[in-house]
Amino acid sequence: MSDDEAAVPGNKPIRLPKKAAKVKNKAPAPLQITAEQLLREAKERELELIPPAPKTKITDPDELKEYQRKKRKEFEDGIRKNRMQLANWIKYGKWEESIGEVQRARSVFERALDVDHRSISIWLQYAEMEMRCKQINHARNVFDRAITIMPRAMQFWLKYSYMEEVIENIPGARQIFERWIEWEPPEQAWQTYINFELRYKEIDRARSVYQRFLHVHGTNVQNWIKYAKFEERNGYIGNARAAYERAMEYFGEEDINETVLVAFALFEERQKEHERARAIFKYGLDNLPSSRTEEIFKHYTQHEKKFGERVGIEDVIISKRKTQYEKMVDENGYNYDAWFDYLRLLENEETDREEVEDVYERAIANVPPHSEKRYWRRYIYLWINYALYEELVAKDYERARQVYKACLDIIPHKIFTFAKVWILFAHFEIRQLDLNAARKILGVAIGKCPKDKLFRAYIDLELQLREFDRCRKLYEKFLESSPESSQTWIKFAELESLLGDTDRARAVFTIAVQQPALDMPELLWKAYIDFEIASEEHEKARDLYETLLQRTNHIKVWISMAEFEQTIGNFEGARKVYEKANQSLENAEKEERLMLLEAWKECEVKSGDEEALKRVETMMPRKVKKRRQIQTEDGVDAGWEEYFDYIFPQDQAAKGSFKLLEAAARWRRQKEEAARAAQEGLDAPVQEMEEEQEEEEKVREGDSDTDMSSSSSSSNSDSESSSSDSDSDDDNE
């Protein structure tokens, strides 16, 4: 096209569509609009509301017919569009009924039934329409057709019977119920029929319905209870009891229900038949498993509390406790405490032997899973109690012997054993006058597991039997097994001493003290020394003391030896012992030295020697109060604490002599240094040396114990006397 043509007015230029721009950012927008939001906004703005049709006022019959024709056409069009939409049929039928066209409405419902003859709502609307129009026979016809097609639909039967009852056609309603129960409907239908008969006081008819009802639905235990309560409510006690009995027969002993038993027992309780109620409760407890007897226990306990005696109440409580224990041991078979409580309950109540033995067998079957003695300690007492029960209560000695043997067979003796079981088994055989069996049991026990307890029990047995040679052999075996036992050596020597064989007893003690390792050597030495003292062998006792003091320097040994010398009247010997002990314990603890001096002082008081007593008193220490710094575990200073200390005169004298020698050595050293300095041409400051000597004297004098803090005000006199003594000692130095 030329420029001239484009410039002609009226000829507009053609605009070509622009090319769509590419979307650069394809990410979703931060604010999203959902379909739900669109619909909600449309509803809020009322964008889809159709305005209602205007109301028309009809004044002409022709206009009315035209209006009815249009409505029928709308309903017919709706039905043609969707024949299976049952709501359209129901609306159509109700509209025809509303304008008085019953025949047309009936025709609509019949056409709807042709579409779906199993629609319950259409049948019900059809029948209700006939009832509203008071067309009773037509309604009966509709209900008859409905229950013929769908006899399991409960609504038809209920509406049909209700209609007949409303129009007071009672025989007709009863006939409908009879037709209904021929189909064996659910429990609600039967209960409705029974309530119908009860409304018109037809007790016999209701009873007949109940009995037929139980033939159909007798498996539900509540139906039996309802029937029995019905009879009880109407005063027929015999029939109520018979109903409960029939229920018991119906379920039988295998499928017996605890609910029936409780209801039956409560019924008998209401009739004041307490013995019958008690028998029913006991029957349930005996025949039902423990997991289903909780309710029975509850009501049984309440019954006994209200009407029973003390024995009855105790029986109930015991039965309840049995159930609890059974539950506990079922949950955990290794709960041995529960087994003990359960068995104790059975034995205290003198239960049948078979039941007790059964519980014992169940208990001992729970062997501990681990071979450690701590797991067996409680378990082994089940066996012991079992054996004692068989022996003492059941008097079955052979079974008790079998229990002991089975117990010993189950214990892993190579790992550990229980001496108590062996000893109880041996004592059992002695009670059965079988001494050889008892000795054999203890011998086997010592051979398998030589424990101290077994040896002692065997020795005690032979001692009671006065078999001393056997005792000697047993002691020899015992000491071969455990030569470190001091008690065993002492008991062996005591046996020989009792038998009057002093030499053998002394030989036993001699061998014992020569053992390299003993658990309690002090007891053995004391027993040996006491033996010699009792035998009046004072020289041997003194030798033993000397031998013992060569091994130990214990203060109790010194005091015991000194007391021994006092008992024999040798106060001079006791004094020598104390002197030797005082010298020997110079480096010992101050408390031990004080204890020795106090014992020595007491000895001198008894001897009556005044000079010796004064000498000991001069050796007694002074008690002074001192302070020392406390430090924590981390080495931090934690303050000061006060404590009492003892100052012995001999320690103080030795300390003073030592300090004097040190001062002399220092003076000599200084003198040599001064002479050496003089030779080198230096003037030794003689005055300075004299001042140093004076300071040393002051230090020596001030090094006594009088610079320590004084004691409390209650002991001022003692502190003053002690300070004066220290001053006198310093002056002497």
Side-chain angles (χ1 to χ4, degrees), residues 641-657:
E641 69 171 355
E642 294 183 348
Y643 70 99
F644 288 102
D645 195 9
Y646 297 98
I647 307 300
F648 290 86
Q650 53 187 353
D651 293 346
Q652 195 172 8
K655 187 177 180 182
S657 301

Side-chain angles (χ1 to χ4, degrees), residues 110-272:
E110 290 292 341
R111 288 168 60 193
L113 290 175
D114 290 339
V115 174
D116 187 4
H117 67 282
R118 301 192 67 84
S119 175
I120 295 176
S121 60
I122 293 178
W123 284 106
L124 289 176
Q125 294 293 337
Y126 191 6
E128 288 176 359
M129 185 270 294
E130 296 290 357
M131 287 189 288
R132 283 194 296 270
C133 297
K134 298 182 180 180
Q135 300 293 323
I136 303 302
N137 289 329
H138 280 280
R140 285 175 181 154
N141 183 23
V142 172
F143 277 124
D144 285 335
R145 290 165 61 193
I147 62 178
T148 302
I149 295 173
M150 291 177 288
R152 296 294 180 186
M154 188 179 296
Q155 297 94 323
F156 299 149
W157 296 102
L158 291 173
K159 288 280 187 181
Y160 197 3
S161 61
Y162 179 69
M163 182 190 74
E164 296 292 349
E165 188 176 357
V166 167
I167 64 176
E168 297 182 354
N169 184 14
I170 306 305
R174 186 175 291 115
Q175 185 179 4
I176 293 168
F177 277 118
E178 289 292 337
R179 290 172 60 189
W180 190 8
I181 63 177
E182 287 178 359
W183 289 94
E184 296 183 357
E187 297 177 5
Q188 183 183 352
W190 295 90
Q191 198 63 46
T192 305
Y193 189 11
I194 293 168
N195 293 337
F196 166 77
E197 296 293 355
L198 291 176
R199 281 197 295 272
Y200 297 98
K201 310 299 181 184
E202 295 289 345
I203 305 300
D204 294 334
R205 289 180 181 275
R207 182 181 297 111
S208 175
V209 175
Y210 256 124
Q211 292 174 355
R212 293 157 63 190
F213 172 42
L214 291 175
H215 279 293
V216 178
H217 296 285
T219 55
N220 189 352
V221 68
Q222 294 296 333
N223 297 334
W224 292 95
I225 298 174
K226 288 179 182 178
Y227 176 39
K229 288 184 177 180
F230 158 76
E231 296 288 1
E232 183 183 1
R233 214 168 26 245
N234 292 282
Y236 297 95
I237 305 303
N239 291 346
R241 185 174 288 114
Y244 282 118
E245 292 174 353
R246 283 176 56 196
M248 299 283 290
E249 293 175 0
Y250 181 84
F251 290 101
E253 293 185 359
E254 296 181 356
D255 299 328
I256 188 170
N257 193 287
E258 62 272 17
T259 309
V260 177
L261 289 171
V262 171
F264 194 5
L266 294 177
F267 163 76
E268 297 293 353
E269 180 181 316
R270 289 192 294 271
Q271 307 308 317
K272 311 300 182 184

Side-chain angles (χ1 to χ4, degrees), residues 542-560:
R542 191 175 290 110
D543 294 340
L544 285 175
Y545 272 120
E546 295 291 343
T547 305
L548 181 57
L549 287 172
Q550 292 176 3
R551 299 189 178 188
T552 181
N553 195 32
H554 201 277
I555 184 174
K556 290 186 177 180
V557 180
W558 288 105
I559 294 176
S560 176

Side-chain angles (χ1 to χ4, degrees), residues 479-526:
L479 292 171
E480 288 178 4
S481 175
S482 56
E484 73 281 353
S485 176
S486 300
Q487 289 287 355
T488 307
W489 289 103
I490 294 170
K491 293 290 184 182
F492 191 9
E494 287 178 355
L495 172 65
E496 298 294 350
S497 179
L498 289 174
L499 296 177
D501 198 340
T502 308
D503 295 335
R504 288 180 64 93
R506 185 175 290 109
V508 170
F509 274 123
T510 304
I511 297 172
V513 297
Q514 293 175 358
Q515 296 299 317
L518 292 170
D519 52 0
M520 291 183 290
E522 64 277 3
L523 293 181
L524 182 61
W525 280 97
K526 185 177 184 304

